[in-house]
Amino acid sequence: MSNTVRVWDLPTRVFHWALVACVIGLLTTAQIGGDAMAWHFRFGYTVLSLLLFRIVWGIVGGRWSRFDSFIYSPSTVLQYIKGQGRPEHSIGHNPLGAGSVFALLGFLLLQVASGLISDDEIATSGPLSKFVSSTLVSTATFYHKNIGKLVVIGLVVLHIGAVLFYLVKKGENLVRPMIRGDKETPVVTEDSRDDARSRALAAAVFLVCAAMVASMVQLAQ
């Protein structure tokens, strides 16, 4: 017998797909270069706003969007790898998926941060590059262009591969719940809160995060 659970609240779903679109935009504009770099920066500022929102939402968001619902001990991860996972691991992010999520969030944040202080010494420079030493700018630029980008691409490919693996090998569609919000699970559990009040809170949180990023950029200029 399966139970329908509201796993992903609307703010988490909007965040996820907005981040997907922005990462694609970042990678595309970086390859094009030239005038497209103006959009590269806009996508970067949007990603930073989204990441700041997700950090806050990971504390006050819906049940299965909160970080405390998918922080696992090393022993739990090891047991899951051995095939000894618990039924509740199939609801939100499982122990392996959680690691992927934290890695993506962390490296995306690092990629954006390095971009803020990068300088290609040709036409574009991050808004905060003038506030740090030339050595740090050089290091950040090298990381942003040569290391961070590849790490992010690798994590994205790994993430997509995991989604396909679960679909083909386990018959579990991980994309549908991230679109509809609901998921069929073998256990009875608490729904994520996803009402008008929580959505209004999420909108307010994002607006504050976006305003902080915009203010930072404006002050830097």
Side-chain angles (χ1 to χ4, degrees), residues 136-218:
L136 184 55
V137 169
S138 178
T139 301
T141 304
F142 178 82
Y143 173 85
H144 188 80
K145 296 176 64 176
N146 301 286
I147 300 176
K149 181 175 71 174
L150 295 180
V151 171
V152 169
I153 292 174
L155 288 172
V156 169
V157 170
L158 184 63
H159 186 72
I160 295 173
V163 170
L164 292 175
F165 172 81
Y166 273 86
L167 179 63
V168 175
K169 295 296 184 179
K170 296 190 174 185
E172 184 177 354
N173 190 327
L174 300 179
V175 176
R176 186 182 295 118
M178 193 55 77
I179 296 175
R180 299 180 178 178
D182 295 333
K183 187 175 185 179
E184 298 296 322
T185 70
V187 295
V188 178
T189 188
E190 171 187 359
D191 287 316
S192 281
R193 182 181 176 184
D194 191 21
D195 54 22
R197 182 174 296 182
S198 68
R199 293 176 181 182
L201 174 62
V205 169
F206 177 75
L207 287 176
V208 170
C209 293
M212 289 173 58
V213 173
S215 297
M216 175 197 69
V217 174
Q218 187 174 18

Side-chain angles (χ1 to χ4, degrees), residues 23-89:
V23 169
I24 292 174
L26 279 171
L27 294 174
T28 302
T29 52
Q31 289 301 114
I32 296 173
D35 293 339
M37 291 305 294
W39 277 101
H40 186 76
F41 278 95
R42 294 185 185 114
F43 282 124
Y45 299 146
T46 304
V47 167
L48 180 56
S49 301
L50 288 168
L51 292 175
L52 293 177
F53 162 79
R54 187 63 181 93
I55 291 172
V56 177
W57 202 242
I59 300 172
V60 303
R63 168 71 179 86
W64 300 103
S65 297
R66 295 199 298 268
F67 296 138
D68 60 11
S69 73
F70 57 96
I71 293 178
Y72 299 99
S73 66
S75 61
T76 300
V77 175
L78 185 59
Q79 288 177 342
Y80 185 83
I81 293 175
K82 291 180 179 179
Q84 300 172 357
R86 298 190 294 271
E88 59 266 28
H89 290 161

Side-chain angles (χ1 to χ4, degrees), residues 75-151:
S75 61
T76 300
V77 175
L78 185 59
Q79 288 177 342
Y80 185 83
I81 293 175
K82 291 180 179 179
Q84 300 172 357
R86 298 190 294 271
E88 59 266 28
H89 290 161
S90 66
I91 302 172
H93 293 302
N94 63 52
L96 287 181
S100 174
V101 169
F102 284 124
L104 269 170
L105 293 178
F107 278 101
L108 278 173
L109 191 58
L110 183 58
Q111 184 69 358
V112 172
S114 63
L116 291 173
I117 58 174
S118 292
D119 187 346
D120 66 2
E121 299 182 347
I122 300 175
T124 56
S125 60
L128 303 183
S129 60
K130 57 188 175 184
F131 298 111
V132 298
S133 68
S134 59
T135 300
L136 184 55
V137 169
S138 178
T139 301
T141 304
F142 178 82
Y143 173 85
H144 188 80
K145 296 176 64 176
N146 301 286
I147 300 176
K149 181 175 71 174
L150 295 180
V151 171

